[in-house]
Amino acid sequence: MTDLLASLRTAERLAEGAMLLPGYARDREAALLAEIQTISNLAPPRRMTVPGGGEMSVAMTNCGALGWVTDRTGYRYSPTDPLAGEPWPAMPPILAALAREAAEEAGYGGFTPDACLVNRYQTGAKMGLHQDRDEQDLTAPIVSVSLAAACVFLWGGLRRSDPVRRFALQGGDVMVWGGPSRLAFHGVDRLQAGPRFNLTFRKAG
Ligand code: SIN
Ligand code: FE2
């Protein structure tokens, strides 16, 4: 029954340049979760400190040439894991392929991400409304993959004060935003029951 329902949920344009692709990664979910486990063994998810001194509720790690990090000095991309002083684990081919295919499906051909942020939400974790703006090249889209537990996603506009839409994302759902939506505000409501994982693919360097 859930398979039938998933197949009935069709792609939806959220805004100019932004697509929700329900269930797009569903057939690969177990394989993607296994890759996250392997990445986590090499570069453990950790709750990073934001410049203001607080600790994020979401635990993060990365794979790919560049990884997103934050500490007291600010947000940035780093070629190495600050915990280990070593490069991040390589981006597994099935992750890179998914990102490329989903981007293509949403109208963005030739997406070659060099960064994949791995977010782990336990029950109660959340991510406030923000823009992804630490990347050099804002012409490339963002591909965001939801795995495991469902969440309520927050989708806003280009201004923080714009109205925010809230909708459920299930494991296997993929969102792609770029072009005029590249700097859209977005976030995740406090998770009711975890864990949930998210892969965010970006062209950072
Ligand atoms: C993010 O914006 O970095 C994460 C979004 C999500 O977890 O779906
Ligand atoms: Fe984000």
Side-chain angles (χ1 to χ4, degrees), residues 117 119 121 127-133 135 142 144 153 177 184-187 198 200 202:
L117 174 65
N119 290 315
Y121 297 71
M127 195 173 296
L129 265 192
H130 66 279
Q131 296 169 296
D132 290 6
R133 56 183 312 156
E135 300 73 33
I142 305 271
S144 180
F153 196 78
W177 64 92
F185 278 88
H186 59 280
N198 163 265
T200 300
R202 307 187 182 107

Side-chain angles (χ1 to χ4, degrees), residues 24 35 44 51 55 67-68 71 80 96 122-123 133 150 164 167 170-171 178:
Y24 189 82
E35 295 289 3
E55 202 175 67
W68 187 86
D71 59 20
T80 52
Q122 304 287 19
T123 303
R133 56 183 312 156
V164 174
F167 51 86
Q170 312 289 338

Side-chain angles (χ1 to χ4, degrees), residues 6-24:
S7 67
L8 290 174
R9 293 160 65 225
T10 52
E12 184 190 341
R13 190 173 154 284
L14 294 166
E16 181 81 30
M19 292 285 286
L20 167 61
L21 304 173
Y24 189 82

